[in-house]
Amino acid sequence: MAVPIAVLDCDLLLYGRGHRTLDRFKLEDVTDEYLLSTYGFPRQFICYLVDLLGATLSRPTQRSRAISPETQILAALGFYTSGSFQTRMGDAIGISQASMSRCVANVTEALVERASQFIHFPKDEATVQTLKEDFYGLAGMPGVLGVVDCTHVAIKAPNAEDLSYVNRKGLHSLNCLMVCDSRGVLLSAETHWPGSLADCTVLEQAALTSQFETELHKDGWLLGDSSFLLRTWLMTPLHIPETPAEYRYNMAHSATHNVIERTLRTIRSRFRCLDGSKGTLQYSPEKSSHIILACCVLHNISLQHGLDVWSAPAAGHMEQSEEEYEQMESVDSEACRVRQELLLTHFS
């Protein structure tokens, strides 16, 4: 009797019944070293993700053999941390390319749905005060609520006519706006901006600006480099420091802002699908943006679990900010006054 092709499993068609698939793979059957080397995270972290995302990933299916949440998470982590293309990673773990693609898509969307749970600014006054004190302990810069920077992640060309994603190096990319605290925990992540936009333009249009101008600007500020315009809530370096106080301000600013640069390098080191060494993200801008955001969520969860994310070696394909050396001049007289008061009060 003929079996309708619609009910056949794609992994069964590709590999046959004898192939060991991840649906038969159990965490308890392998060592901690294997999990860490293959998927980039220890057993407890993976189990936490299974608990966190399990209900979302256990959607009803008409397939004869649905892929378990555990399998989906392991497959997605393997892709995020190795940077391998899906065909190669799927072969390594025993599922087809189509199944691998579904796993990455499902886990990515489940993490994106929880982004606001793990990436946000503190709201209560006690936590905000602790945030400022932690930053002050780095280099003596007062009132800092976060450090901000942009970084480009290479993507495939959406189509020949769309030049909005072509950056100043002639590559297609997304320009991602990130803010972190003194430990590298991300407080904001906007990953969808086209690569053609300058950093200052991204910030001008970002939700972050609206947040700070309407909600979060309370006796504090972000620190940004010279690719951004000085604002009352965003302190930038002095272009040409002249006095000892101005030199001290610039040194404290640089030492504090370095946290976001280290954080961005670390994210690329841990999530090699973003660092360009394995090629560009082979997805649409929207899906690529979601993958970047999913990695940001995992970065914060890993810090919550005490993983030393700054111990990883630096990636070799780091895309620096396009406007890193472009000095922006502020026309905001109130912002200039705020910075000058900061200079006189704390650095003179």
Side-chain angles (χ1 to χ4, degrees):
M1 177 179 177
V3 179
I5 191 67
V7 303
L8 292 178
D9 185 276
C10 60
D11 293 326
L12 185 63
L13 287 171
L14 183 62
Y15 294 112
R17 294 186 180 276
H19 194 86
R20 183 186 184 214
T21 71
L22 267 181
D23 284 325
R24 300 168 190 166
F25 180 99
K26 300 297 181 183
L27 286 176
E28 58 267 24
D29 293 339
V30 296
T31 65
D32 293 342
E33 292 75 13
Y34 174 81
L35 291 174
L36 193 59
S37 63
T38 306
Y39 304 107
F41 291 96
R43 186 185 309 274
Q44 288 185 338
F45 182 91
I46 295 172
C47 290
Y48 173 81
L49 290 181
V50 173
D51 291 339
L52 177 70
L53 307 179
T56 302
L57 299 175
S58 298
R59 296 188 176 99
T61 177
Q62 295 182 356
R63 296 180 64 214
S64 59
R65 188 166 56 91
I67 300 177
S68 68
E70 180 179 282
T71 296
Q72 294 183 60
I73 288 168
L74 288 171
L77 289 179
F79 170 71
Y80 296 148
T81 60
S82 74
S84 295
F85 291 118
Q86 290 186 9
T87 301
R88 179 179 173 187
M89 177 56 69
D91 289 347
I93 60 180
I95 60 176
S96 68
Q97 182 181 11
S99 294
M100 184 72 187
S101 182
R102 285 194 298 272
C103 290
V104 173
N106 291 344
V107 174
T108 295
E109 292 310 306
L111 288 168
V112 168
E113 288 173 5
R114 290 160 177 78
S116 61
Q117 176 183 345
F118 294 99
I119 303 175
H120 57 80
F121 283 90
K123 296 295 179 74
D124 62 283
E125 292 186 9
T127 307
V128 171
Q129 184 59 34
T130 300
L131 182 65
K132 293 180 182 179
E133 291 172 357
D134 289 343
F135 271 119
Y136 186 80
L138 294 179
M141 180 69 76
V144 180
L145 298 171
V147 284
V148 59
D149 206 352
C150 284
T151 187
H152 287 254
V153 175
I155 63 172
K156 73 172 184 179
N159 57 64
E161 292 76 27
D162 189 352
L163 300 180
S164 65
Y165 293 92
V166 179
N167 61 35
R168 294 171 68 178
K169 296 181 180 179
L171 305 175
H172 289 82
S173 68
L174 291 168
N175 195 1
C176 306
L177 182 71
M178 309 281 193
V179 181
C180 75
D181 69 9
S182 63
R183 297 191 304 118
V185 175
L186 293 173
L187 306 175
S188 179
E190 299 186 34
T191 61
H192 62 282
W193 297 102
S196 65
L197 294 182
D199 293 359
C200 61
T201 304
V202 168
L203 182 62
E204 182 180 347
Q205 300 178 12
L208 178 68
T209 294
S210 177
Q211 280 184 296
F212 264 79
E213 291 183 345
T214 60
E215 302 173 19
L216 293 172
H217 181 210
K218 298 179 179 178
D219 300 321
W221 36 71
L222 301 177
L223 298 186
D225 63 20
S226 297
S227 65
F228 300 110
L229 287 169
L230 179 71
R231 299 169 183 259
T232 55
W233 49 267
L234 177 66
M235 294 292 102
T236 60
L238 288 145
H239 180 27
I240 303 177
E242 296 177 346
T243 68
E246 290 175 347
Y247 276 102
R248 285 192 288 269
Y249 166 85
N250 270 13
M251 290 179 64
H253 187 292
S254 177
T256 308
H257 187 265
N258 181 255
V259 174
I260 185 65
E261 296 167 4
R262 293 176 64 195
T263 299
L264 295 176
R265 286 195 297 268
T266 295
I267 291 172
R268 290 177 180 276
S269 296
R270 167 149 278 168
F271 303 105
R272 302 306 295 268
C273 66
L274 307 181
D275 76 359
S277 64
K278 302 293 184 179
T280 62
L281 284 175
Q282 298 296 300
Y283 301 91
S284 68
E286 181 182 9
K287 290 184 178 180
S288 295
S289 169
H290 285 185
I291 287 174
I292 300 166
L293 185 56
C295 291
C296 291
V297 173
L298 290 172
H299 167 81
N300 274 11
I301 296 175
S302 67
L303 281 172
Q304 288 185 3
H305 281 73
L307 301 182
D308 185 6
V309 297
W310 282 350
S311 65
H317 292 75
M318 178 70 178
E319 281 285 342
Q320 297 293 340
S321 170
E322 292 279 311
E323 281 68 49
E324 183 174 0
Y325 300 109
E326 181 177 326
Q327 301 293 334
M328 304 298 297
E329 295 296 336
S330 177
V331 295
D332 188 336
S333 59
E334 178 63 15
C336 292
R337 185 197 64 77
V338 170
R339 186 170 64 181
Q340 188 62 28
E341 183 177 339
L342 176 60
L343 279 162
L344 294 174
T345 305
H346 294 279
F347 295 98
S348 295

